[in-house]
Amino acid sequence: MKKIVFALSLITIMVNTYGQKFDNLALTPPMGWNSWNTFATEINEKLIKETVNAIVESGLLEAGFEYLVLDDGWMAMQRDEDGKLYGDPDKFPSGMKALGDYIHSKGLKFGIYNCAGSKTCGGYPGSRGHEYIDAQSYADWGVDYLKYDWCYTEKLNAEGAYMTMRDALYATGRPIVFSICEWGSNKPWEWGKDIGHLWRITGDITNCWDCEIGHGSWSALGIWKIINMRKDIRKYAGPGHWNDFDMMEVGNELTDAENRSHFVMWSILASPLIMGNDVCSVDKETLKTLTNKEVIAVNQDKLGIQGFRFSNEHNIEIWLKPLSNNEWAISFINMNDKPFNLEFDWLKHGIGDDFNRRNIDFRNQTYEIRDLFRHELIGNTTESLKTTLEVHDVLLIKLIKKENFD
Ligand code: GLA
């Protein structure tokens, strides 16, 4: 009996110590830009360099958007004679290493895409059976982030397939953020923590408030479809392992109010903040939203607690996110198609997060209220909060304990 217990313990130790992901990466949700939502496979060296320059010059890098992620369509249609991937020579004539060097020279990090199956979703060579050789190419090119998709995988076991790539990345010795993109089909939140740093939780996003667009075997999902579908898996997220609500559609034909609300929700949800718009032609209002450092600070809070729905009364979505220093972020979003006069009486609402054992009783604790879009204090919790919310617009506030001011 003792021998069996000993053998089992040995196996457990071996399993636990053999494979591992890079620790100490993505301790806050990764921030960056990805080419897919706007450009699909129409990407090239010139576009990527212009995007890098725009991210630097517009202040987006300074605000924290550091990963430049090339999605599907970057590679040649076949491998070279050594079985290695290489960039499409028409789109990327200088090659991937040179592109990585350019991205790094401007202070950004380099992200790239491939797929666990035999082909990528766009039909380019997938990594199945080539995981180690591909991981080494990425490391040689200076890649810092890999988005790893789930097309053409037939009967592959998801956990095993992602583990193989994790181990291949780890074997290169280069710290690479591993972004699992299997659309939530096999509940990656249940097994992804030791494998990747973030995992997609649904099929692809599309640029609408709450629509669903069928594409035969799958549907593209609007912002609120994604939120509502996966609002109950918050306990799986935390520093180094995030629920990925998908690349953002901020700036992609939503109204300014919807852009603000979408950005706030991704921040409250501690989702990776990966822009999916054309940053070279971004308008002033969208840029203002994307570079709002107080909203970003909610997303990047070091506790890494994913927020949750507090209530939805009168079609006003109220979401909470506990922050460090015993502060709280609270968003109020008007889902109605007309303006709404909000009145929120703090004394009638206990704010609490039972899962994380954090609560406020407003009868004996007073908090100052800071508006994170107006960037000023707007009162405290002894009085009701009153404001008008425009259609699909958001009020995002932070509650700061009164003694922190005294
Ligand atoms: C899948 C992913 C998308 C994108 C495309 C590329 O649909 O979910 O995010 O990467 O593939 O083909």
Side-chain angles (χ1 to χ4, degrees), residues 292-302 321 323 398:
N292 185 329
K293 290 185 184 171
E294 294 203 73
V295 180
I296 293 171
V298 169
N299 175 268
Q300 295 287 301
D301 183 80
K302 64 179 185 312
K321 183 181 197 283
L323 304 173
K398 186 157 88 166

Side-chain angles (χ1 to χ4, degrees), residues 279-339:
V279 287
C280 297
S281 63
V282 63
D283 63 78
K284 232 173 123 198
E285 203 53 40
T286 303
L287 190 60
K288 199 168 148 200
T289 299
L290 287 168
T291 53
N292 185 329
K293 290 185 184 171
E294 294 203 73
V295 180
I296 293 171
V298 169
N299 175 268
Q300 295 287 301
D301 183 80
K302 64 179 185 312
L303 285 184
I305 297 179
Q306 180 176 322
F308 62 99
R309 174 181 278 134
F310 175 69
S311 67
N312 179 334
E313 276 172 40
H314 310 293
N315 228 0
I316 302 300
E317 289 279 350
I318 305 182
W319 288 69
L320 306 181
K321 183 181 197 283
L323 304 173
S324 36
N325 298 325
N326 287 320
E327 296 176 345
W328 292 77
I330 310 184
S331 60
F332 300 83
I333 296 179
N334 181 8
M335 305 298 287
N336 298 290
D337 51 16
K338 52 182 193 299

Side-chain angles (χ1 to χ4, degrees), residues 34 36-37 41 71-72 113 120-122 147 149 151 181 183 200 202-204 218 246-247:
N34 173 300
W36 184 256
N37 286 0
T41 56
D71 207 285
D72 207 353
Y113 163 99
T120 73
C121 300
K147 172 176 169 183
D149 213 342
C151 280
C181 175
W183 322 315
R200 278 273 299 282
T202 66
D204 292 7
W218 64 282
D246 208 348
M247 289 97 65

